[in-house]
Amino acid sequence: MASFENILVEHDGPIATITVNRPKSLNALNSTTLRELTQAVREHAEQARAIILTGAGDKAFVAGADISEMKPMTPWSAREFSELGHVVTALLEDLPCATIAAVNGYALGGGLELAVACDMIFASENARFGLPEVTLGVTPGFGGTQRLVRLVGKLRAKEMIFTGDMIDAKRALEIGLINGIHPRESLLAHCKTVAQKIATRGPLAISRAKRLVERGYDMALRAANRQEAETFALLFDTEDRREGMAAFLEKRPPKFQGK
Ligand code: DAK
C-alpha cells in the first residue's frame, strides 16, 4: 500500500477510514490530495466493505478546492483539475462497497461535492455546507450542479449555488442533504457502527443494490425496474443468497462470502 502526503488511511477489519489531512488549510483539495484520494479509494475498494471519508482537525471536513492552487490556473489546467475531482467522485459512486462521509465541520465547494458522491452523509452539529464557487467567479467544478440537484431538488440546489451561502447541519437534514446529525465526539463512532452493520450484510447484494440505485437514476423507470428484476433473479444463483435464507430459517446469523 502506498504512503501519502495529504491523507491518512486507517483499517479496522472490513472498514477503511480515509482522512483528508491538511488541517492548516481546512483540508482544502489540491491536485496532490485529489490524486492520493483516488489512489487510496482504489486500493481499498477490493477488501473494504465500507469506506468512511472524513477530514482532519475539528473545523473542517473539506473547505473546498485549494484556492491558492486554482488562482494561477489557465482554462486548460482548470479543466484538468476539474477532471481530477470528477474521477474521484465517479469512483466513489462506482465502487462495490459502501461509502460514508463523516462531515465534521465545513463541507464547502469541492468538499460538499465529495460528500454528495458518497452513499451516506452523517454530520456533526458544527457542520456547515455550501457551494461558494460563485463568490469566486466560477461554477462548481466537481459535479455540484448535478449531484446536489438530484439529492435536494432544483429549487434548493439553485438557492445554494446562486447565493453561495452556507447552511447548517439542521437545515441540511431538513432538505434531505444528510442522513443524520451527531455530536462531534461521536460522529466517527456512529459512522463506524453503520459501516460495521453494512459489513455484516450480503456483499453482492450491497454492491448490486448500489449499482441499481446509481444507474437507475439516469434511466427510465421501466428500464430501471427491469434491471432490478434481473439483478434480483441473478442473485438467486449465489452462495450468499442460499446462506442468507438458510440462516434465517435456522435462526442463526448468516456467514456471507461474497460468492
Ligand atoms: N483553499 C485554500 N486555503 C483555504 C481554503 C481553500 N478552499 N479554505 C480555507 N483555507 C485556508 C485559509 O486561507 C487559511 O489559511 P492561512 O491564512 O491560515 O494560511 C486557513 O485555511 C484557515 O482558514 P480561515 O482563517 O479563513 O478560517 P475561518 O475559520 O476564518 O473561515 C472558512 C473558515 C471555511 C469560512 C473560510 O476559510 C473560507 O471561506 N474558505 C474558503 C471556502 C471556499 O470558498 N472554498 C472553495 C470553494 S470553490 C472547477 C474546479 C473546481 C471547483 C470549481 C471549478 N473548474 C475547474 C471548473 C471547485 C471550487 C471550490 O471548491
Side-chain angles (χ1 to χ4, degrees):
M1 297 273 166
S3 68
F4 298 108
E5 194 184 318
N6 295 336
I7 62 170
L8 303 168
V9 184
E10 180 205 301
H11 303 266
D12 183 4
I15 316 299
T17 303
I18 300 179
T19 306
V20 180
N21 187 30
R22 301 184 70 212
K24 284 192 183 138
S25 45
L26 304 187
N27 304 320
L29 298 171
N30 58 10
S31 35
T32 302
T33 312
L34 286 167
R35 285 200 185 89
E36 290 185 350
L37 264 178
T38 304
Q39 191 181 342
V41 170
R42 279 211 179 103
E43 281 179 4
H44 293 87
E46 296 283 326
Q47 315 99 318
R49 299 291 318 284
I51 293 177
I52 299 171
L53 277 187
T54 194
D58 53 11
K59 272 186 82 174
F61 172 69
V62 166
D66 189 318
I67 299 168
S68 49
E69 188 176 293
M70 282 196 295
K71 188 173 171 282
M73 281 180 187
T74 61
W76 180 250
S77 53
R79 171 74 202 253
E80 281 187 309
F81 183 62
S82 177
E83 284 300 323
L84 291 175
H86 279 284
V87 167
V88 69
T89 49
L91 180 63
L92 289 166
E93 283 174 346
D94 287 347
L95 288 182
C97 71
T99 53
I100 301 177
V103 175
N104 55 326
Y106 293 110
L108 304 177
L112 174 54
E113 292 168 307
L114 197 60
V116 296
C118 291
D119 298 318
M120 288 166 215
I121 306 175
F122 295 99
S124 55
E125 289 152 334
N126 65 321
R128 295 282 178 282
F129 300 83
L131 288 175
E133 282 86 345
V134 293
T135 69
L136 303 169
V138 290
T139 57
F142 301 153
T145 59
Q146 305 308 310
R147 291 192 183 89
L148 185 67
V149 174
R150 284 161 165 78
L151 265 186
V152 304
K154 265 205 237 179
L155 295 179
R156 286 154 170 168
K158 281 183 184 164
E159 188 179 349
M160 289 179 73
I161 295 166
F162 294 2
T163 64
D165 284 347
M166 292 185 214
I167 59 171
D168 63 14
K170 196 164 153 274
R171 178 70 184 147
L173 185 61
E174 243 168 47
I175 66 173
L177 174 56
I178 61 175
N179 294 75
I181 305 173
H182 297 271
R184 202 175 59 200
E185 315 72 63
S186 57
L187 173 68
L188 215 47
H190 174 77
C191 293
K192 285 186 178 169
T193 303
V194 175
Q196 291 288 359
K197 184 180 285 185
I198 294 169
T200 66
R201 310 306 195 212
L204 294 174
I206 299 283
S207 70
R208 297 297 146 150
K210 174 165 171 168
R211 193 186 292 180
L212 285 170
V213 173
E214 292 299 341
R215 301 234 171 122
Y217 236 99
D218 297 325
M219 290 169 73
L221 181 62
R222 291 194 80 176
N225 273 339
R226 213 171 300 129
Q227 206 164 74
E228 186 191 75
E230 279 163 18
T231 303
F232 179 74
L234 278 173
L235 288 174
F236 269 71
D237 208 15
T238 63
E239 287 301 320
D240 280 359
R241 194 280 299 185
R242 279 185 275 278
E243 167 62 9
M245 293 190 181
F248 175 81
L249 294 172
E250 291 160 23
K251 301 189 189 305
R252 60 172 174 82
K255 282 201 189 118
F256 292 118
Q257 297 175 63
K259 288 192 215 158

